[in-house]
Amino acid sequence: MSVFWRLVLAYYICAVLFYNLTFFAWRDRRPVAAGLVQFFAYFMVGGALTWPYWHLTWPLLGLWEVHCVWCLAAFALFETVNNKMMVYRSGQQKRHALTFVVHDILALLFILLCAPTHVLYETGNALAEPWIISAVGVLVVTKMFSVFIYMVEQDLYGRDYPTIDESFITMLMRLIFFLIVLLPGWRWVLWFLVWLWACRVARRNRLLDFSRFALYFGAFGATAVGFLAKWSFYLQ
C-alpha cells in the first residue's frame, strides 16, 4: 500500500495548490492552460513520490498490468477532469459538501485501483510508512478540512469564502489537535481538553472568529486523523 499512500499524498499536495479562489478564477478564464498545469503537477508530484516503485508493474484500474507511467498519466488525467467538480461560489446554497465528498471518494478509489499492493503482501501492513501517513494527515486536517467546513457552511447559510486570517487560525487550531494526539501514553487526553477549552473561550469571547461546527468538527476530526498517524507508528 506504499504506492497508494504516496499517491494520496501527491493528491493532497496538489489540492493545496489548486483548491483556492485564485486558481479557480484562472481556470474559468483559461481552462485549457489550467488543465495542462494540473495534469503535469499531478504527474510530476505523483511520479516523484512513487519513484522507488517505478520498477513494479501497476494495475491500471485493477484490470491491466502496465508500466507505472501509464497509471501516473491516467491518475493525472482523472484528477484534472475530476477537479472540474470543485467550484467555489460564495452566497449560493447548493450541495457543495456532497460534491466535495463524492469528489474525494472518486479520487481515492481511482488511486486504489491503480496502486500496486506488493508491499502489503510482503509486510502485511497497510500503513507501512508512518511519515507518509503523517504528512497525509497534516494536509487533511489543515487544507482539506478547511475546504469541507467551508462547503458545509456554504450549504447551510451561504457564507462568504474565509479570509486568510480565518483560514490560517483554524488550520493551526486543527494542526495542534492533530499533534496533541501523537503524544505518548494518555497524556494527550489532558492536553486535548485544555486546548479545546482554550479554543472555546477564545471563540466565546470573539478573540477568534469561527463557527461552532468548525471548532468541534475540527477538534474531533483532527483527533481521529491523528489516531491513524499514531497507529501507523505503533505498527512498526
Side-chain angles (χ1 to χ4, degrees):
M1 295 292 286
S2 294
V3 174
F4 170 78
W5 286 111
R6 286 168 178 256
L7 286 178
V8 170
L9 179 57
Y11 167 64
Y12 287 134
I13 288 174
C14 291
V16 173
L17 300 176
F18 300 133
Y19 290 7
N20 57 75
L21 289 179
T22 301
F23 178 80
F24 285 124
W26 182 63
R27 187 187 68 181
D28 291 342
R29 297 193 308 270
R30 303 286 300 277
V32 175
L36 290 174
V37 168
Q38 289 181 94
F39 177 87
F40 284 109
Y42 281 109
F43 185 88
M44 297 302 293
V45 176
L49 288 173
T50 60
W51 175 258
Y53 302 94
W54 275 38
H55 64 284
L56 301 175
T57 55
W58 293 19
L60 182 59
L61 299 178
L63 300 175
W64 306 282
E65 295 290 331
V66 298
H67 192 275
C68 66
V69 170
W70 294 107
C71 282
L72 287 170
F75 162 69
L77 179 61
F78 179 82
E79 295 308 329
T80 300
V81 175
N82 193 30
N83 279 354
K84 295 291 289 183
M85 297 174 63
M86 297 293 291
V87 179
Y88 294 173
R89 293 287 186 270
S90 295
Q92 298 180 9
Q93 297 182 19
K94 297 181 180 179
R95 297 177 179 176
H96 291 88
L98 178 61
T99 299
F100 174 82
V101 171
V102 171
H103 169 272
D104 252 35
I105 290 175
L106 291 176
L108 296 178
L109 179 60
F110 189 91
I111 293 172
L112 182 63
L113 291 175
C114 290
T117 55
H118 297 68
V119 176
L120 178 60
Y121 295 148
E122 294 171 1
T123 65
N125 183 2
L127 306 174
E129 295 183 298
W131 292 107
I132 297 293
I133 305 297
S134 297
V136 170
V138 168
L139 294 179
V140 168
V141 302
T142 53
K143 180 63 177 181
M144 303 309 289
F145 276 17
S146 287
V147 176
F148 178 72
I149 290 169
Y150 162 70
M151 290 192 166
V152 169
E153 295 178 342
Q154 173 77 311
D155 287 340
L156 293 176
Y157 51 86
R159 68 154 297 170
D160 293 330
Y161 191 77
T163 64
I164 294 177
D165 289 345
E166 180 186 348
S167 295
F168 176 78
I169 289 171
T170 53
M171 285 193 292
L172 180 61
M173 176 190 73
R174 292 190 297 272
L175 179 61
I176 292 174
F177 278 117
F178 174 82
L179 295 176
I180 284 173
V181 180
L182 300 182
L183 292 173
W186 290 97
R187 71 187 68 176
W188 70 269
V189 177
L190 173 62
W191 289 110
F192 172 86
L193 295 175
V194 169
W195 182 238
L196 180 61
W197 172 81
C199 293
R200 289 184 61 189
V201 170
R203 178 184 175 275
R204 185 171 61 246
N205 295 332
R206 306 298 292 180
L207 298 176
L208 300 177
D209 187 17
F210 50 83
S211 69
R212 183 174 300 174
F213 174 73
L215 171 61
Y216 289 106
F217 176 82
F220 293 102
T223 300
V225 176
F227 269 112
L228 177 65
K230 191 171 187 176
W231 187 29
S232 70
F233 279 103
Y234 283 154
L235 288 176
Q236 302 309 303

